[in-house]
Amino acid sequence: PPIAGRAGFGQVGLNLWDPFQLISKNRSAADNARGLKSEILNGRAAMLGLFSLLSASSVPGSVPALAGIEGFPKYAGNVMIPFSSDFSIFG
């Protein structure tokens, strides 16, 4: 659904899907609905992929598909460090 101007004090100025109306102005409503649905599903798949990489780096063997790839890089740091109380981007 359109969110431009709907989130308190109007701080959201653009819609998330097709913010500049470059795609949807020349398409039918059915095509726009299909495009929006596929965009949402692709976003969900991307989040699932990201969390599988995070969990595989935290708990070895938790994602069997990644454990079977020879030479797959392992992350040696702490993936939860941005949520700690002493985290700073600048040092």
Side-chain angles (χ1 to χ4, degrees):
I3 65 165
R6 291 179 56 189
F9 303 114
Q11 71 266 25
V12 179
L14 299 172
N15 290 322
L16 296 177
W17 188 74
D18 194 18
F20 301 110
Q21 303 297 315
L22 297 175
I23 298 170
S24 61
K25 65 181 176 183
N26 296 327
R27 295 171 53 179
S28 69
D31 288 340
N32 284 336
R34 182 179 170 274
L36 178 60
K37 183 177 180 180
S38 64
E39 186 72 22
I40 290 170
L41 293 176
N42 286 338
R44 289 178 181 168
M47 285 188 286
L48 182 64
L50 177 65
F51 282 108
S52 70
L53 291 174
L54 287 174
S55 63
S57 66
S58 297
V59 180
S62 63
V63 183
L66 294 178
I69 299 174
E70 179 144 355
F72 188 79
K74 306 291 188 229
Y75 180 67
N78 183 2
V79 295
M80 298 303 287
I81 198 71
F83 303 106
S84 67
S85 62
D86 60 347
F87 176 73
S88 174
I89 293 176
F90 303 110

